[in-house]
Amino acid sequence: MVDFDFTEFSAVAFIDTLLNAALAQKASDVHIESTEKGIMVRFRTDGILHKVTDVTHEDAYHVIARLKVLAHLDVSERRLAQDGKFSFLMPHASVDLRVATFPSLYGEHLVIRILDRSHDCFDVEKLGFFADMNQQFSRLIEHSHGLVLVTGPTGSGKTTTLYSALNLINHQEKHIITLEEPIEYSFPGITQAQIRPEIGFTFATALRSVLRQDPDIILVGEIRDYETAEISIQAALTGHLVLSTLHTTDAPSAIVRLIDMGVRSFLINATVTGVLAQRLVRTLCTACRYEVEAPFEYQQLAKRYAIPLHHVYSADGCGECHNTGYRGRIGIFELLLLNPEIKEVITRRPSYTQLYEAAVKGGMRTLMHDGLLKVAQGLTSINELARVIG
């Protein structure tokens, strides 16, 4: 809980204290939710929401109005969703905040997304790859052409991975163009475009225009349909490196999704060089973690991957981790490389099971395998791995 020590309530002071607390706790989002009695405030830290405080109904209006003024939104409009942004000044930095409002039963629901402009987090070395996979992924994104896909559900860190990739390959001799919805971070030396479907500027239409801008590298925020997939593949065929995302549960599913969209197998084989699937797990607090015996069922599961897992780590929480037992997050990954054997399977329009089995046989380390290795190293816990991937 955050200590709001005011002689009398001030919306300005409340918001300043709230945002400072959110930044101190490294929260990614602040939820301000209207309830029957006022507003409830929650922070999303390391992917988990936790309650911070409540504000009475009498003061709730002033808090919401103040945030809408800061974000240059219409204070009088409470029936429609609105989006805005503003910057919050700190002693040594400025933080960008994106505000989204949504009408609910008891009033407006506001979510503030905290965007760190320091770019310190956009480093491939800090994503959580083991050394072998780090080398494989780095080689993929340093190719002069081809299509590299990053998959996973919303909130799995796909954007961070793609931005980290761009950071690594952003050289003066390269012309990089991104198509995003929305643009969350700005990068010097990169041409970034905001997708606006409401005026017909979709991923597909924008991608057609991008190809006339002489790019070397193109980032497409998401492949959602056949048209976008087709143009992305044509761009990769004509000598461009294309990075994009798909919403699939694992790496083999991305290939199956492209086939289901209507992309022909020989085009997939000619352009797709690799698919990275990922999730984010919370990392154990090193100040309070301790060793415990691994549950028998996980010892047996680890044996399938030839991982000795007799002991694992747990944490009860301390002042360093705000009594959560975790500090920060790390990725767990699954990288499917399209080698000749996998391409041969793809030409036969395989089922998901056939492609998955061929990928594992060909050396693909699965999400569970990668996660268990990180459990064995004490980076995360069994409970956290089970929460994220089951």
Side-chain angles (χ1 to χ4, degrees):
M1 301 291 283
V2 178
D3 182 20
F4 297 95
D5 187 14
F6 307 127
T7 304
E8 61 180 67
F9 186 86
S10 163
V12 174
F14 176 84
I15 291 169
D16 285 349
T17 303
L18 186 71
L19 293 178
N20 276 305
L23 292 166
Q25 295 185 27
K26 299 187 183 301
S28 61
D29 303 87
V30 177
H31 286 237
I32 297 176
E33 306 168 48
S34 294
T35 67
E36 190 174 8
K37 297 180 180 179
I39 56 175
M40 176 176 65
V41 180
R42 296 193 288 174
F43 291 168
R44 186 178 294 280
T45 306
D46 296 334
I48 304 295
L49 279 170
H50 64 274
K51 184 176 176 179
V52 175
T53 190
D54 292 304
V55 178
T56 64
H57 185 73
E58 291 74 20
D59 297 322
Y61 170 79
H62 300 289
V63 172
I64 293 174
R66 172 64 179 167
L67 284 168
K68 292 174 76 173
V69 168
L70 289 171
H72 307 287
L73 302 178
D74 185 350
V75 177
S76 64
E77 179 56 75
R78 306 177 195 173
R79 303 163 300 170
L80 298 174
Q82 300 183 69
D83 295 288
K85 58 184 178 180
F86 68 98
S87 295
F88 182 68
L89 296 176
M90 298 182 67
H92 304 292
S94 175
V95 178
D96 289 337
L97 305 172
R98 193 174 74 228
V99 179
T101 74
F102 188 80
S104 65
L105 177 62
Y106 294 111
E108 290 179 283
H109 184 133
L110 275 70
V111 174
I112 305 170
R113 169 61 59 87
I114 300 173
L115 306 173
D116 182 4
R117 294 195 298 194
S118 68
H119 295 176
D120 288 343
C121 56
F122 301 133
D123 184 347
V124 170
E125 298 289 338
K126 297 179 180 178
L127 295 176
F129 290 123
F130 287 117
D132 58 342
M133 196 178 292
N134 189 9
Q135 291 178 352
Q136 292 170 337
F137 182 71
S138 295
R139 282 199 294 266
L140 285 178
I141 61 176
E142 287 170 356
H143 285 171
S144 61
H145 62 278
L147 176 59
V148 179
L149 297 171
V150 180
T151 78
T154 300
S156 59
K158 298 188 299 295
T159 299
T160 297
T161 297
L162 287 174
Y163 280 157
S164 299
L166 290 184
N167 239 359
L168 184 64
I169 58 180
N170 183 16
H171 306 302
Q172 190 173 1
E173 65 271 17
K174 299 290 186 181
H175 183 200
I176 302 175
I177 300 180
T178 73
L179 307 176
E180 305 175 58
E181 186 186 6
I183 296 173
E184 294 195 353
Y185 299 90
S186 61
F187 284 84
I190 295 178
T191 302
Q192 296 175 264
Q194 170 75 50
I195 296 302
R196 301 186 186 278
E198 68 275 10
I199 60 172
F201 194 63
T202 63
F203 281 114
T205 56
L207 193 49
R208 288 195 181 90
S209 300
V210 162
L211 293 176
R212 295 191 287 271
Q213 295 296 311
D214 188 32
D216 296 293
I217 300 166
I218 306 168
L219 185 150
V220 182
E222 183 183 351
I223 293 177
R224 299 176 178 173
D225 51 41
Y226 172 74
E227 187 177 15
T228 307
E230 181 185 39
I231 303 169
S232 297
I233 283 174
Q234 290 300 323
L237 277 174
T238 52
H240 305 89
L241 176 64
V242 181
L243 309 177
S244 191
T245 70
L246 278 173
H247 278 92
T248 61
T249 56
D250 58 15
S253 295
I255 302 299
V256 176
R257 175 69 59 82
L258 290 175
I259 293 172
D260 289 344
M261 282 182 180
V263 179
R264 286 172 288 184
S265 299
F266 78 90
L267 289 175
I268 294 174
N269 286 340
T271 56
V272 178
T273 55
V275 183
L276 179 75
Q278 66 178 73
R279 299 289 190 278
L280 290 176
V281 293
R282 292 179 293 169
T283 51
L284 284 164
C285 174
T286 55
C288 63
R289 72 177 184 180
Y290 55 91
E291 200 173 68
V292 297
E293 185 177 354
F296 177 75
E297 61 270 24
Y298 279 93
Q299 292 187 37
Q300 297 301 111
L301 178 61
K303 280 184 180 179
R304 300 181 194 173
Y305 303 103
I307 301 172
L309 194 69
H310 305 297
H311 293 89
V312 295
Y313 287 84
S314 186
D316 294 331
C318 64
E320 293 290 323
C321 58
H322 304 287
N323 296 311
T324 64
Y326 299 92
R327 293 181 67 188
R329 289 192 289 178
I330 194 171
I332 55 174
F333 302 98
E334 177 178 283
L335 182 59
L336 172 61
L337 301 174
L338 269 69
N339 56 33
E341 292 76 18
I342 294 296
K343 289 181 179 181
E344 173 61 29
V345 174
I346 292 173
T347 59
R348 301 196 294 267
R349 295 182 60 88
S351 67
Y352 165 78
T353 301
Q354 291 170 328
L355 186 55
Y356 180 86
E357 289 175 351
V360 172
K361 184 178 179 180
M364 182 187 77
R365 187 160 62 231
T366 66
L367 287 167
M368 178 60 78
H369 188 173
D370 198 61
L372 285 170
L373 286 172
K374 284 166 179 150
V375 167
Q377 290 190 354
L379 296 172
T380 191
S381 68
I382 285 289
N383 289 339
E384 179 66 5
L385 183 63
R387 181 186 70 84
V388 173
I389 62 173

